[in-house]
Amino acid sequence: MYKAPRGTADILPKDQPYWRYVEGKAVQICQLCGYQRIDTPVFEDARLFVRSIGDETDIVKKEMYTFEDRSGANMTLRPEGTAAVCRAYLEHGMHNLPQPVKLYYISPIFRYERPQAGRYRQHHQFGYEAIGDLDPALDAEIIDMAWQFYTSLGLQGFYLKLNSIGCPKCRPKYIEELRRHYTPYRGQLCRDCQIRLVKNPLRLLDCKQDSCQPAANSAPHSVDYLCNECSDHFNRLQRYLDLLEIPFQVTHRLVRGFDYYTKTVFEIQPEEEGAQSALGGGGRYDGLIEELGGRPTPAIGFAAGIERVILNIKKQTIAAPLISPPDVFVAYVGQEAKEKALKLVAQLRKRGIGTTAPFGDKSLRSQLRQANALGASQTLIIGEEEMQTDTVLLRDMMKGEQRREALESVLNLLRKGQPPSP
Ligand code: HAM
């Protein structure tokens, strides 16, 4: 038997209400805030992601699904959304539009990770980006939208971690200090961190291995090394968050896993924090558009992991609105009645009345059981007598009552959204 690939999941009908609920709130908040939808291809030139995310990051080194297509070009299944949105911004000349350009997306993301609860090889992100302005008020808007998104879903107990990791002007000095601090600990560090110390020191702070905690906990803080511009940006952002009454915790070890970040980085954590628990994260990437060949263009964005949001919705027993079943079920007895049923179903659907029929040769009893299980409010039954008299039996499934009606009048009786009671 074939199975879904490891780390992927089918989203079954019973889970669809959660997905529709979360996606509905995502779209609602973006429309409310003037963000427009963008959809980019599932795969892109591999170099786009290497260039954007950074060739020393875990994502590029270990997690990308990269393949050679039949023309020999290297393609990568999207391991995150930001790089593709920036590529589209440049490709379609969006720098000529009034800035900032505000875009959102809901899309599958692929990372070859070790699967566990809340960590998958295919997951889905709701993300949004504001490209073209440096104002910390924009950082506050992006964070506020995330906050409102989780709040509107009914989630409780989540909190905001915030940090600033500086810019290319001030970060080198901090990196130097970080290296100096870590060097005496080198022998105690895990293998990955020994490499990070040489190649990507900022990521040292992110390590969860026990042996690396003493060095990480006592490490210097990036906020103490910010240049005037970054420091002013961070202070103003904190003031704006206070103004919006969004609580935050400045978290010195928050650095995030992409090289494109500058200044602001943040994550939303659920109450019970675990290694793989972030509900979402984002930050500023003021150098990325330029890195991809555009003019210097500051930008900031955020993405939430939909699977993790749903895990938390379920954990907090929040009910997602049900997706309503078709109102009408058409049952029949015999071949001739089936033809009449086929036509009736089509006529009802044309009038916008949700209608379903079993279309097999089951007994009437089993058809009625199916109608019950589907939750149809009305069942129309065409049996032998109804065939002879050109009528149908109209059965109210809740009350269990039924009456006979002329076929013609049934079409008029059943109106979209208001089935008649007998
Ligand atoms: P990220 O933190 O890598 O950021 O991913 C965003 C969110 O996606 C995470 O906080 C988490 O909820 C979810 N997520 C990530 N990996 C997995 C996984 N393997 N399984 C399940 N859920 C996962 C980004 O991707 C950035 N592009 C966000 C951003 C937008 N920054 C600026 N703009």
Side-chain angles (χ1 to χ4, degrees):
M1 287 284 276
Y2 292 110
K3 286 188 161 181
R6 197 163 124 74
T8 71
D10 299 311
I11 305 168
L12 298 174
K14 72 178 168 57
D15 270 331
Q16 291 293 339
Y18 293 105
W19 284 80
R20 299 288 81 78
Y21 179 50
V22 174
E23 288 175 4
K25 293 290 185 195
V27 172
Q28 203 175 41
I29 193 99
C30 286
Q31 286 178 347
L32 199 65
C33 301
Y35 284 64
Q36 291 182 302
R37 178 145 184 160
I38 182 164
D39 292 288
T40 60
V42 165
F43 58 89
E44 300 263 357
D45 187 323
R47 289 170 295 186
L48 171 69
F49 297 117
V50 177
R51 192 80 189 259
S52 308
I53 300 170
D55 46 14
E56 284 307 322
T57 58
D58 282 355
I59 293 186
V60 167
K61 278 176 74 176
K62 308 182 195 163
E63 297 173 3
M64 295 210 305
Y65 280 89
T66 299
F67 60 96
E68 202 177 288
D69 73 9
R70 284 168 194 275
S71 75
N74 252 356
M75 295 292 163
T76 298
L77 298 184
R78 173 174 51 212
E80 64 109 34
T82 310
V85 170
C86 290
R87 194 263 311 134
Y89 172 90
L90 285 169
E91 185 173 339
H92 302 286
M94 289 190 226
H95 54 275
N96 294 321
L97 301 172
Q99 306 291 301
V101 172
K102 298 179 171 183
L103 302 166
Y104 79 93
Y105 48 89
I106 298 173
S107 53
I109 303 285
F110 306 87
R111 296 181 188 174
Y112 191 80
E113 299 204 74
R114 204 150 44 81
Q116 53 183 264
R119 184 159 75 180
Y120 313 103
R121 289 185 177 165
Q122 178 180 333
H123 72 278
H124 296 75
Q125 287 187 4
F126 154 48
Y128 49 87
E129 318 286 343
I131 305 175
D133 207 297
L134 186 58
D135 193 335
L138 206 52
D139 306 35
E141 172 176 283
I142 292 278
I143 293 173
D144 184 45
M145 282 171 68
W147 197 261
Q148 299 315 326
F149 168 61
Y150 297 115
T151 304
S152 73
L153 288 165
L155 285 169
Q156 290 182 342
F158 55 87
Y159 63 95
L160 170 63
K161 286 177 167 180
L162 185 67
N163 197 13
S164 174
I165 55 170
C167 68
K169 262 190 292 170
C170 52
R171 201 181 302 155
K173 175 115 185 24
Y174 175 59
I175 298 289
E176 199 184 305
E177 279 307 310
L178 206 54
R179 273 214 180 93
R180 199 193 322 256
H181 166 80
Y182 263 86
T183 304
Y185 293 93
R186 190 184 293 157
Q188 287 164 246
L189 301 177
C190 71
R191 262 193 38 202
D192 279 350
C193 279
Q194 296 195 357
I195 298 168
R196 286 179 189 132
L197 183 54
V198 182
K199 299 204 159 158
N200 197 358
L202 209 54
R203 296 287 296 162
L204 286 163
L205 297 172
D206 215 14
C207 185
K208 307 284 187 306
Q209 297 289 332
D210 287 346
S211 59
C212 303
Q213 298 315 302
N217 286 331
S218 56
H221 299 165
S222 55
V223 291
D224 295 332
Y225 295 83
L226 299 179
C227 59
N228 285 342
E229 186 192 312
C230 289
S231 171
D232 178 55
H233 188 99
F234 196 45
N235 289 335
R236 280 162 67 198
L237 169 59
Q238 291 178 72
R239 203 166 57 243
Y240 295 156
L241 290 176
D242 285 340
L243 209 69
L244 295 172
E245 296 179 26
I246 298 175
F248 58 88
Q249 300 177 4
V250 175
T251 308
H252 302 296
R253 285 184 55 183
L254 179 67
V255 288
R256 309 222 353 103
F258 303 85
D259 284 357
Y260 55 56
Y261 286 124
T262 51
K263 294 190 170 71
T264 311
V265 287
F266 67 99
E267 265 177 12
I268 309 272
Q269 286 287 343
E271 207 164 18
E272 280 172 49
E273 188 173 343
Q276 289 304 325
S277 58
L279 287 171
R284 236 177 211 287
Y285 47 95
D286 293 339
L288 181 55
I289 296 273
E290 196 180 357
E291 182 75 30
L292 297 178
R295 292 196 298 247
T297 309
I300 176 162
F302 167 80
I306 299 183
E307 283 82 356
R308 290 196 195 165
V309 171
I310 291 176
L311 276 175
N312 280 273
I313 286 178
K314 288 182 176 175
K315 216 185 267 176
Q316 298 189 13
T317 59
I318 296 166
L322 291 177
I323 298 168
S324 37
D327 284 329
V328 178
F329 185 96
V330 178
Y332 51 85
V333 184
Q335 288 306 313
E336 277 176 49
K338 187 197 290 187
E339 287 180 15
K340 211 165 207 178
L342 185 68
K343 200 162 165 205
L344 181 59
V345 167
Q347 284 171 319
L348 288 166
R349 287 176 180 167
K350 259 186 215 144
R351 287 169 186 235
I353 299 165
T355 307
T356 184
F359 296 132
D361 296 314
K362 299 183 197 80
S363 70
L364 183 60
R365 180 196 282 257
S366 115
Q367 291 182 57
L368 292 180
R369 230 182 288 130
Q370 192 173 346
N372 251 328
L374 288 172
S377 56
Q378 305 282 324
T379 296
L380 304 183
I381 305 166
I382 309 174
E384 255 168 54
E385 194 175 337
E386 289 74 35
M387 283 300 288
Q388 278 162 19
T389 53
D390 217 13
T391 55
V392 295
L393 270 184
L394 179 62
R395 184 181 174 90
D396 185 307
M397 300 301 284
M398 299 293 276
K399 298 184 184 151
E401 292 166 3
Q402 59 187 41
R403 69 173 197 267
R404 185 164 287 114
E405 284 286 346
L407 189 56
E408 270 310 303
S409 57
V410 158
L411 285 173
N412 295 327
L413 275 171
L414 294 173
R415 285 200 211 303
K416 192 174 176 322
Q418 35 179 246
S421 42

